[in-house]
Amino acid sequence: MKEISVLIGGKAGDGINQAGILLARLFSNLGYFVYMYFDYPSLIRGGHNFAVIRASDKKISAHRRKVDYILAINQDTVDLHRDRLRDENNIIYDSDAVKSAGLGLQLSQIVKEEGGKPIMRNSVIVGAFAKSAGIDYEILKKVIKKNVLKDTDLNLKLAEKGYKNAKEEEKTEALNRESLPVLTGNEMIGLGLVKSGLRAYVAYPMTPSSGILHFLAERADKFNLKVIHPESEIGVILMALGFSYGGRRVAVGTSGGGFCLMTESLSLAGMAELPIVIVVSQRPGPSTGIPTYTAQADLNFILNAGHGEFVRFVVAPGDTEEAYYWSGTALNISWAYQIPSIIVSDKTLSEGAFSFSGETAGNIRQEEIPAWDGKGDYKRYRYTDNGVSPLAFPTAKGAVVKVNSYEHDEYGITTEDPEEVVSMYEKRLRKEKYLIEKLYNYDTVKVHGNKDASTALLCWGSNKGVCLEVAETLGLKVIQPIVLSPFPAKRFRDALKGVKRLVDVENNATAQLSELIGKYGCSVDEKILKYDGRPFTVEELEEKVKVCIAADRR
């Protein structure tokens, strides 16, 4: 595999994330697949931020611990990460603020001489890196012109200064491959929803889901979209259910704490059969936890949130292609079955940046939405064989559309009649059988790697990328359930055929996916669990899997 990894670091406010994205797009313009991991504390200013940008000639969705270059805006970057370098001299740093071996440039002085702002030190250091890595200046210029839209000429001038003050240490060859767009998981969730007809997005900012709100708000006019930021998560979901009642396809976004506040209204959506999509991007808890880091600890909560019994569709995409496809699918299924759909992400997927291939993502299937034919009295909750009632919306001629959180009859009128209660209860639950049948048409459980291997890694969500790489190195199989409710038990058992040893890989302390498959008579042999808020690196997981395999052989 041909690859290169770069770590850039500084403090909050130094623009490390933007500089990392710029580097990722620089590699993408050379034809590489890229992945960027961004690590930062919950601080507006100060602390230590860093991004690891990895470029490869193969599709990747994870970062390595070892890096080829460090670009240091502050001393912490050198002190905390020097041991990650393959060559200790490959450090480019701001000599006005950092003491180190490597190439020192007076970034602050250069920026000051050109009348720039301190954050523009990034342009100088990116320029110096491009020269050191043997990247043609015209490619750097093209990337800056396309991606740095504010003070473009000044940033170009500063990048050129950095480029001229460095010397070429090696040559990064361009690959004969098209340049793919570099996008975050949050952006692809937003685009998948828009593709399926999203008309309103309502959210209260909460890391790591906030990127969806920012992304869609900036493009609201282009997408003909209402984007609203109410006063609280309770306001968010109630407003969204109002959109749904009015016939607007709607989604909300939050993290675990915000989802806690939404759960009463989640039950309202279940009882009133109001379609809604909820994006829950996980971070470590309980409570505030460590809000800018990653976790997969909310699966049990998401599968069981809300009071009473109702059908929900829960999906956990593993990369940007799946985030796009399954977000659009979740919206379609929500409306086809009039149930809540929940898209489960985490910080690693939501805020990580990936090369995105539309061809790999595939076309989102449209689902038929049952509509009222306008004949006779309109019954919002009409009994049907599959439990799904024809839809009409306020202002439809001849229709009085009544939705109700109280138990109700076909018209939506409150009832406590025991026979009516049972009939309506069973009507709502009946949808699950037909949804399961519909999902046979979808790739709900993916099998990757060596499909004949007797040892398989079990993963969900953003652990897909790191598991794929480790499995390829060790010749293993990977089983990745994407739909988690209703759980595709038959597909999952089929995926297990031939597997003698199943190793569960999760970012939580209690192996929640393992618990879920246990309800369907399946079990894991080993568990590799990480819950320090950081994703697995490729080297780290490979080492742990090797230990599992070796222990089993003993």
Side-chain angles (χ1 to χ4, degrees):
M1 181 188 290
K2 183 182 292 185
E3 67 172 72
I4 183 171
S5 289
V6 181
L7 185 151
I8 182 168
K11 63 181 186 300
D14 283 341
I16 299 303
N17 191 27
Q18 296 90 330
I21 292 286
L22 193 66
L23 286 164
R25 289 176 175 156
L26 184 61
F27 286 119
S28 182
N29 267 266
L30 294 169
Y32 287 82
F33 292 102
V34 299
Y35 167 72
M36 188 189 89
Y37 166 68
F38 182 44
D39 189 300
Y40 62 102
S42 180
L43 295 169
I44 303 297
R45 297 282 177 189
H48 178 58
N49 292 11
F50 69 94
V52 178
I53 305 92
R54 183 177 171 216
S56 170
D57 59 350
K58 293 185 178 179
K59 170 77 173 168
I60 51 171
S61 303
H63 70 292
R64 290 188 181 275
R65 171 166 171 69
K66 286 292 184 184
V67 298
D68 300 287
Y69 283 89
I70 286 180
L71 313 184
I73 300 293
N74 68 356
Q75 188 66 46
D76 281 351
T77 305
V78 175
D79 295 344
L80 295 173
H81 303 290
R82 182 164 28 207
D83 66 325
R84 302 175 69 145
L85 271 173
R86 292 191 176 91
D87 180 342
E88 63 181 14
N89 292 315
N90 279 351
I91 301 177
I92 303 173
Y93 60 94
D94 181 359
S95 60
D96 290 328
V98 179
K99 292 181 179 177
S100 174
L103 172 63
L105 297 175
Q106 290 184 287
L107 304 186
S108 301
Q109 184 63 30
I110 292 171
V111 169
K112 187 177 180 181
E113 287 172 359
E114 298 299 333
K117 300 171 185 172
I119 198 172
M120 294 177 180
R121 288 177 295 169
N122 285 320
S123 295
V124 186
I125 206 166
V126 168
F129 163 73
K131 180 62 179 291
S132 185
I135 297 171
D136 189 85
Y137 178 71
E138 289 305 313
I139 293 177
L140 173 66
K141 185 177 174 181
K142 175 184 169 185
V143 172
I144 290 178
K145 275 190 169 181
K146 185 174 180 180
N147 295 286
V148 182
L149 304 180
K150 190 175 180 182
D151 296 322
T152 307
D153 291 341
L154 180 54
N155 278 289
L156 264 176
K157 192 173 183 179
L158 291 167
E160 187 177 6
K161 284 251 180 185
Y163 198 88
K164 288 180 175 176
N165 277 285
K167 66 175 183 178
E168 186 173 314
E169 300 290 347
E170 56 185 299
K171 187 71 177 175
T172 304
E173 299 291 344
L175 304 179
N176 185 24
R177 183 185 289 126
E178 68 169 324
S179 171
L180 295 174
V182 179
L183 296 156
T184 67
N186 276 339
E187 289 169 340
M188 293 318 301
I189 289 170
L191 288 174
L193 292 169
V194 168
K195 181 67 177 177
S196 286
L198 187 74
R199 285 294 169 266
Y201 185 77
V202 193
Y204 185 86
M206 192 167 189
T207 304
S209 66
S210 303
I212 306 172
L213 176 64
H214 300 156
F215 177 73
L216 293 178
E218 288 174 1
R219 295 158 181 80
D221 290 340
K222 179 180 178 181
F223 294 148
N224 188 25
L225 193 64
K226 291 278 187 189
V227 180
I228 302 175
H229 168 187
E231 75 285 1
S232 72
E233 282 87 352
I234 295 173
V236 164
I237 194 163
L238 289 173
M239 185 178 287
L241 292 177
F243 274 111
S244 178
Y245 169 73
R248 297 286 189 95
R249 291 190 169 213
V250 63
V252 306
T254 188
S255 186
F259 187 56
C260 286
L261 294 170
M262 293 182 180
T263 53
E264 184 179 16
S265 298
L266 174 67
S267 298
L268 168 57
M271 172 61 98
E273 301 185 54
L274 289 168
I276 186 170
V277 170
I278 303 170
V279 182
V280 181
S281 189
Q282 302 164 98
R283 66 193 207 186
S287 192
T288 306
I290 41 175
T292 58
Y293 289 89
T294 199
Q296 295 183 311
D298 293 338
L299 178 57
N300 284 341
F301 173 39
I302 289 165
L303 292 173
N304 297 286
H307 55 289
E309 298 165 297
F310 55 93
V311 180
R312 70 193 72 192
F313 178 67
V314 178
V315 63
D319 55 26
T320 43
E321 284 83 6
E322 290 176 358
Y324 171 78
Y325 180 84
W326 283 102
S327 296
T329 299
L331 184 57
N332 287 335
I333 284 178
S334 183
W335 279 82
Y337 292 88
Q338 298 164 33
I339 57 173
S341 287
I342 302 173
I343 301 165
V344 188
S345 182
D346 58 34
K347 189 260 185 181
T348 303
L349 174 60
S350 283
E351 296 190 345
F354 307 69
S355 295
F356 173 78
S357 166
E359 186 177 344
T360 303
N363 296 318
I364 300 170
R365 302 178 193 186
Q366 298 303 312
E367 295 290 342
E368 184 179 353
I369 309 300
W372 180 49
D373 60 9
K375 298 176 182 175
D377 293 339
Y378 178 62
K379 298 177 180 178
R380 173 61 185 87
Y381 300 110
R382 197 180 86 192
Y383 292 119
T384 60
D385 290 342
N386 65 1
V388 180
S389 308
L391 281 173
F393 305 106
T395 74
K397 188 176 180 182
V400 177
V401 184
K402 297 175 184 172
V403 296
N404 199 338
S405 68
Y406 215 104
E407 193 55 276
H408 45 261
D409 62 13
E410 289 183 284
Y411 290 95
I413 304 297
T414 297
T415 181
E416 294 180 346
D417 177 81
E419 290 187 7
E420 192 79 65
V421 167
V422 169
S423 295
M424 195 56 68
Y425 207 110
E426 292 177 348
K427 167 199 179 302
R428 290 190 295 271
L429 294 182
R430 197 156 57 236
K431 298 175 186 177
E432 183 168 79
K433 173 189 170 188
Y434 293 92
L435 175 56
I436 290 171
E437 290 177 0
K438 172 64 69 176
L439 289 172
Y440 288 151
N441 299 320
Y442 288 85
D443 203 1
T444 52
V445 179
K446 287 191 174 178
V447 178
H448 312 274
N450 179 2
K451 297 179 181 176
D452 296 325
S454 60
T455 297
L457 303 181
L458 172 66
C459 66
W460 63 286
S462 65
N463 276 333
K464 171 189 175 182
V466 69
C467 284
L468 288 186
E469 285 203 53
V470 171
E472 183 178 0
T473 302
L474 302 180
L476 307 178
K477 182 176 184 176
V478 176
I479 300 174
Q480 178 208 3
I482 299 177
V483 173
L484 301 173
S485 179
F487 190 72
K490 181 180 183 306
R491 282 278 178 83
F492 188 76
R493 291 192 193 97
D494 288 345
L496 284 177
K497 287 178 180 174
V499 174
K500 296 179 180 175
R501 183 170 53 233
L502 188 61
V503 181
D504 182 31
V505 180
E506 299 191 54
N507 286 115
N508 58 54
T510 54
Q512 296 184 19
L513 177 60
S514 171
E515 184 179 332
L516 175 61
I517 67 169
K519 295 177 181 175
Y520 298 90
C522 306
S523 60
V524 302
D525 299 287
E526 304 281 351
K527 298 172 185 173
I528 299 176
L529 307 175
K530 185 173 184 183
Y531 37 94
D532 62 359
R534 278 72 176 175
F536 291 100
T537 63
V538 176
E539 299 98 319
E540 177 186 21
L541 183 61
E542 183 177 328
E543 186 178 326
K544 290 178 183 296
V545 172
K546 283 179 177 175
V547 170
C548 283
I549 293 173
D552 189 71
R553 285 173 180 160
R554 285 197 295 272

